[in-house]
Amino acid sequence: MAQQSDPLALAGMALVATAIGGGIWYVMSDEPTSTDRSSRDEPREQPREAPAPPSAGAGSASPASPDARDGWIPAGAREIVRRSDLPSRAEPSPSCQELPNPIEMAKRTVVLGESQLRDATRLSDEEEAQLGDRLEREAPQAPPFRGKWDVPGEVERWQPYLQDLVDHLARHTERKGLRYRVHVIRDDRFNAFALPGGVMAVHTGVLAGPNAVRDEAELVAVLGHELAHVERRHPVAAYQYAKAALGTAADEAAVLVAMLKLPIQSEYEYEADARGIELAAAAQYDPDAAHRLWQRMAASEPAAATAGDGPGGLLGAVLGSIDALLSTHPPNASRCHRAALAVVDQQGKLPFERYYRGASNVRERTPGPRRAF
């Protein structure tokens, strides 16, 4: 979720050329990989169903029915936004505008090509779940997470709350054969990530501190974004690239670290942002939350980070291109603008009349669908 650059990411750029010239190949250390994947694969395990919220099933009703208008939000609920109040236009601003960059355009071209190969050589849900289980076992001992992964105090404070929200969102995903679960990493940076098989991790900097989300809808935007990565099989593709870079003899902990640093992933973020907004809206959370979140993130950056204009503009553009080459995420200003466009695009598709924000929920760690208003 967070921007990051690292010298190790240079290895990932070699994989971009590999993807263009040779396509995708999957390397599995334990299980054989089939080249004939389809939605007919038997699921490994059904995800845990969240208890039915009030007006359960309303999300699938027609927009004209009373249940569809109300959903799970009680009549007296506060901290809501009405569909009619959501933005109908995407207004650009200095902190919310598309920032074209030739490096980002090149990454986009690569990802558009490899997505077809990724789909053609996909793993079954069972194979991906097995891969996710292996990486999940290795993660606590990986250098970036050692001593930070699922610290007991942080787990007690945050994990049940996060899991409830993930379960609520997972009801709306297209992939029902995965067991979605969330871990907590003690780290003040604003970041979250997903691994194959439904494994997700959220930094405590997302939940508390100066850069934390301001309401539950923003937290749902983060979680929906990570669920979208899994749904679109981005983590499996990242594993593929990392395994190719390090070699088949590399241990899973090293592959895990490498796959989180691959620069090609920046283009995956746009796809996950758009799908995450759809998941949030389907779960009856304010779909504009992602737009607000990225606008705030972009506004807090130095001017040089969001534009190459003004004095030193040429130098800024050069530095921006270098940063784009190594960055695992696109500029926050571009993400903000695309999120605004996605909200406008959703206007005619929204099934509910009211959407939840829940500014008090994060403080109380009580998920909206089960909250006693």
Side-chain angles (χ1 to χ4, degrees):
M1 199 82 179
Q3 299 258 16
Q4 58 176 302
S5 298
D6 191 288
L8 290 177
L10 290 171
M13 290 312 298
L15 296 170
V16 176
T18 301
I20 296 175
I24 287 184
W25 55 281
Y26 281 97
V27 182
M28 302 294 293
S29 61
D30 295 328
E31 294 80 27
T33 301
S34 171
T35 57
D36 182 18
R37 312 297 180 200
S38 73
S39 59
R40 296 190 299 272
D41 292 318
E42 291 296 324
R44 171 177 180 263
E45 180 177 353
Q46 290 296 322
R48 183 184 70 172
E49 279 289 323
S55 300
S60 60
S62 68
S65 71
D67 283 346
R69 288 195 299 269
D70 294 339
W72 56 262
I73 302 179
R78 303 179 300 277
E79 303 178 6
I80 63 169
V81 59
R82 297 189 178 276
R83 180 170 63 177
S84 58
D85 294 330
L86 291 171
S88 58
R89 295 178 58 189
E91 299 289 348
S93 67
S95 60
C96 194
Q97 60 178 318
E98 188 77 21
L99 298 176
N101 185 293
I103 299 298
E104 291 295 338
M105 293 173 65
K107 290 182 183 180
R108 188 173 312 160
T109 301
V110 171
V111 170
L112 287 174
E114 66 90 47
S115 62
Q116 297 178 356
L117 294 169
R118 185 186 351 138
D119 187 67
T121 58
R122 71 173 59 179
L123 304 178
S124 68
D125 284 352
E126 182 177 3
E127 288 171 321
E128 184 176 336
Q130 290 169 353
L131 171 58
D133 289 345
R134 295 206 309 273
L135 293 173
E136 187 177 29
R137 289 193 297 268
E138 293 291 338
Q141 299 307 315
F145 312 126
R146 193 172 297 140
K148 301 178 182 180
W149 184 278
D150 282 349
V151 178
E154 304 295 357
V155 169
E156 294 168 6
R157 183 183 182 191
W158 295 112
Q159 200 276 340
Y161 172 54
L162 293 171
Q163 189 64 55
D164 279 336
L165 291 175
V166 167
D167 289 342
H168 183 55
L169 283 166
R171 296 171 62 202
H172 304 279
T173 62
E174 297 173 354
R175 302 183 68 188
K176 306 297 185 183
L178 296 177
R179 181 171 61 91
Y180 296 96
R181 63 272 199 196
V182 61
H183 298 272
V184 182
I185 297 176
R186 179 181 283 175
D187 193 310
D188 292 338
R189 291 173 295 178
F190 190 101
N191 195 19
F193 60 87
L195 300 177
V199 181
M200 291 172 287
V202 178
H203 286 209
T204 51
V206 171
L207 305 164
N211 298 317
V213 296
R214 295 184 177 178
D215 54 49
E216 191 165 86
E218 290 188 0
L219 178 55
V220 164
V222 173
L223 296 174
H225 172 97
E226 301 307 331
L227 276 167
H229 275 311
V230 176
E231 186 180 81
R232 296 296 190 254
R233 296 177 168 83
H234 296 156
V236 176
Y239 177 87
Q240 152 68 36
Y241 285 121
K243 194 76 170 179
L246 298 180
T248 57
D251 64 75
E252 297 287 50
V255 175
L256 170 61
V257 173
M259 66 185 285
L260 297 176
K261 297 176 181 293
L262 290 174
I264 193 176
Q265 292 182 106
S266 62
E267 190 59 30
Y268 295 156
E269 299 305 307
Y270 289 130
E271 187 177 350
D273 281 346
R275 178 56 179 158
I277 289 171
E278 292 178 356
L279 290 173
Q284 206 175 359
Y285 280 93
D286 179 8
D288 195 44
H291 168 224
R292 295 197 311 272
L293 176 62
W294 294 120
Q295 186 169 39
R296 190 167 68 249
M297 293 290 185
S300 67
E301 294 175 340
T306 58
D309 302 328
L314 178 59
L315 176 60
V318 172
L319 293 176
S321 294
I322 295 174
D323 183 66
L325 179 69
L326 299 177
S327 179
T328 60
H329 287 65
N332 288 333
S334 293
R335 296 182 76 176
C336 171
H337 182 62
R338 293 205 190 185
L341 291 173
V343 173
V344 172
D345 181 65
Q346 284 287 303
Q347 277 284 15
K349 310 171 187 176
L350 296 174
F352 304 104
E353 291 296 328
R354 298 182 303 159
Y355 291 84
Y356 194 56
R357 287 186 173 173
S360 60
N361 289 40
V362 178
R363 294 191 300 271
E364 299 174 14
R365 299 189 292 282
T366 305
R370 303 182 202 169
R371 179 178 169 79
F373 291 91

